Amino acid sequence: MTRSTAGPAPAAPLPSPKERRRLREARALSEEQVAAAVGVTPATVRAWETGRTDPRGRRRAAYVRLIGCAGHRPAPSPSVEATGSSTMSPTEPGTGPSADAIAPDAPTRDADALTLTRDPDPEALTLTRDPDADAPATSAPEGHEPAAPVPQPRAGLTAEEAYDALYTLTAPGLTRQMHLLTGRRKLSREAVEHAFRTAWQRWPEVARDRDPAGWVRAMAYEYAMSPWHRLRRTHRRADAPPRDPARRALFEALLGLPPSYRRTLLLHDAVGLGLPETAAETEASTPAAASRLLNARAALAERLPELAGSVDPGGRSTVLQERLGALALAEEVPEPPPATAVRAGSERVAGLWTRAALCFGVLLVSTTAFTLHTAPTRYEQPLAPAARVGGVPPLGGPQKLTPQDLKLQKSLRGQLTHGPERLVPRIP
């Protein structure tokens, strides 16, 4: 019997979790259908599409063939050197007026090729379609454009330069999105700073992500929507609404929506994500995201007459996109701090947590050593608890004197000195 010297077959390449879900929904397959075809439970398929686990072996190959990603090529990831800095190639000149725009190394999606450019307004970012890109392979939902992820910086830049480029392009617009989401300017800036500090601490992971801006946006949205901010005095109440009546009505109607509806509406109609991408970023199913979107639009249409007159969902989405964009640009939001300050703050916080962890470890080791040093080295059997002994006769002897006996004894002792003389018997 001979053993084969050939190694195991290379595993089929897998796209990112969001791309897996997009490919499955593009083929109109449900989680139950994929689970039945691969031989797993729907919960396992959901775990594959959220990134908690990955398929292996035969199930991996069957899953790849089923969702149609056999020809998928993962996005190029920057190489990280031993010194901790990742190298990325310089970017191509953008199609817009600004030359520091990040151009993708390759289309991040087979179905769509987008180029990120900067608007003449330095704080407004726009996404323009590359005219030379191929036609989309899958049709987008009716009335909506395909999702437009921010392209990943190419190799040739250091980690600091790539981080600064991502921060410069996304931080101003993301701050305005946070203001529409929360209605609080200080919280908006705080959420953006927290997201970018976390991104710098986990930069190797963020740099290899297919959509770094989406990674940061999801982190900022989660922080801004945390219910713990209600316990802070500075964030209990929203800031003053705009003075313009139309913008004021839109702003108050937007803040009147539930947080999940507000987030879904902003991602779909303001940011421009597709319905599957919106559902994946909000960690909801596509029907749930569609239901939230329709309910949010209906709630806004009740308070805004220009939306109530538009029956077509596509026209309503266009009106909302224009109104939300104008509202975001018209509001005064605090400018985000420089990227160097955010990186320095992230490193300082990481250093504090590291020192705290080291101090806790030293304290734990010291406590353990002290306990081992002072603990007894042999086992000492504990004393048995006291118990009443029965069946033993009472002790003999004179009984205890009663009060009458004590009184008689006292009187007799007092009469010895004052009574008659003692009679002494004579012995003949």
Side-chain angles (χ1 to χ4, degrees):
M1 182 176 182
T2 60
R3 179 179 299 179
S4 174
T5 58
L14 280 176
S16 63
K18 292 183 180 180
E19 187 68 14
R20 301 173 198 173
R21 179 173 182 170
R22 190 191 69 81
L23 291 174
R24 174 180 62 79
E25 293 181 347
R27 289 177 172 264
L29 296 174
S30 63
E31 295 178 353
E32 291 76 10
Q33 293 174 343
V34 175
V38 180
V40 295
T41 61
T44 304
V45 177
R46 195 175 303 111
W48 293 348
E49 295 181 354
T50 55
R52 293 195 298 268
T53 59
D54 290 328
R56 298 180 180 179
R58 299 179 180 177
R59 293 175 179 174
R60 182 188 184 103
Y63 180 70
V64 168
R65 290 194 302 269
L66 188 62
I67 64 176
C69 60
H72 174 78
R73 293 183 180 180
S77 59
S79 59
V80 181
E81 299 179 355
T83 57
S85 63
S86 74
T87 58
M88 301 182 182
S89 65
T91 58
E92 300 276 343
T95 58
S98 176
D100 60 349
I102 301 177
D105 187 17
T108 56
R109 301 188 178 189
D110 297 334
D112 205 1
L114 298 171
T115 306
L116 180 65
T117 61
R118 188 181 295 274
D119 221 35
D121 186 352
E123 295 183 348
L125 295 178
T126 58
L127 289 170
T128 59
R129 185 179 301 277
D130 190 352
D132 299 332
D134 297 333
T138 58
S139 59
E142 185 177 357
H144 302 288
E145 290 292 331
V150 177
Q152 180 179 357
R154 292 193 298 178
L157 300 176
T158 62
E160 291 78 6
E161 294 174 348
Y163 176 86
D164 293 351
L166 178 65
Y167 182 86
T168 303
L169 290 177
T170 58
L174 188 58
T175 306
R176 297 185 179 278
Q177 294 178 31
M178 293 300 103
H179 182 250
L180 295 181
L181 182 68
T182 61
R184 298 163 177 83
R185 294 177 176 85
K186 293 182 179 179
L187 181 58
S188 303
R189 176 172 177 172
E190 184 179 337
V192 174
E193 289 185 21
H194 171 78
F196 276 98
R197 286 178 181 176
T198 308
W200 179 244
Q201 294 174 5
R202 303 167 61 178
W203 182 246
E205 174 188 349
V206 178
R208 287 173 172 82
D209 194 87
R210 299 184 71 251
D211 187 10
W215 193 99
V216 177
R217 180 178 60 243
M219 184 65 63
Y221 274 62
E222 291 294 336
Y223 181 85
M225 296 178 61
S226 175
W228 293 104
H229 296 307
R230 301 175 184 174
L231 304 178
R232 304 171 60 182
R233 291 185 178 181
T234 55
H235 300 326
R236 286 181 182 177
R237 297 181 179 179
D239 297 337
R243 297 182 179 180
D244 184 66
R247 294 173 181 171
R248 183 190 185 97
L250 177 60
F251 190 75
E252 293 178 350
L254 189 62
L255 295 182
L257 297 175
S260 58
Y261 289 12
R262 199 185 317 150
R263 181 179 183 180
T264 304
L265 182 69
L266 288 177
L267 289 176
H268 189 272
D269 290 339
V271 180
L273 297 183
L275 193 58
E277 288 78 8
T278 303
E281 187 160 330
T282 56
E283 297 182 356
S285 62
T286 303
S291 177
R292 293 175 183 176
L293 184 62
L294 292 177
N295 292 334
R297 290 176 178 174
L300 291 181
E302 294 178 357
R303 304 183 60 176
L304 302 176
E306 59 270 19
L307 292 180
S310 179
V311 182
D312 184 17
R316 184 173 297 179
S317 176
T318 304
V319 174
L320 270 177
Q321 186 175 5
E322 295 177 355
R323 292 291 305 276
L324 291 175
L327 178 62
L329 293 177
E331 288 298 308
E332 296 182 0
V333 297
E335 295 183 359
T340 54
V342 176
R343 283 193 284 106
S346 176
E347 294 173 358
R348 182 172 60 256
V349 171
L352 290 176
W353 279 106
T354 303
R355 286 192 291 271
L358 290 177
C359 293
F360 179 76
V362 171
L363 179 62
L364 183 61
V365 171
S366 302
T367 305
T368 305
F370 177 77
T371 304
L372 293 176
H373 180 71
T374 57
T377 57
R378 60 188 181 86
Y379 176 74
E380 297 180 0
Q381 186 175 3
L383 298 177
R388 185 180 296 275
V389 179
V392 180
L395 297 177
Q399 301 296 327
K400 186 178 181 180
L401 298 178
T402 62
Q404 295 179 355
D405 296 338
L406 292 175
K407 184 176 181 181
L408 178 60
Q409 183 183 25
K410 183 178 181 180
S411 62
L412 291 176
R413 287 178 179 176
Q415 294 177 1
L416 291 177
T417 56
H418 303 287
E421 297 180 358
R422 293 179 179 274
L423 299 177
V424 181
R426 294 178 181 180
I427 301 176

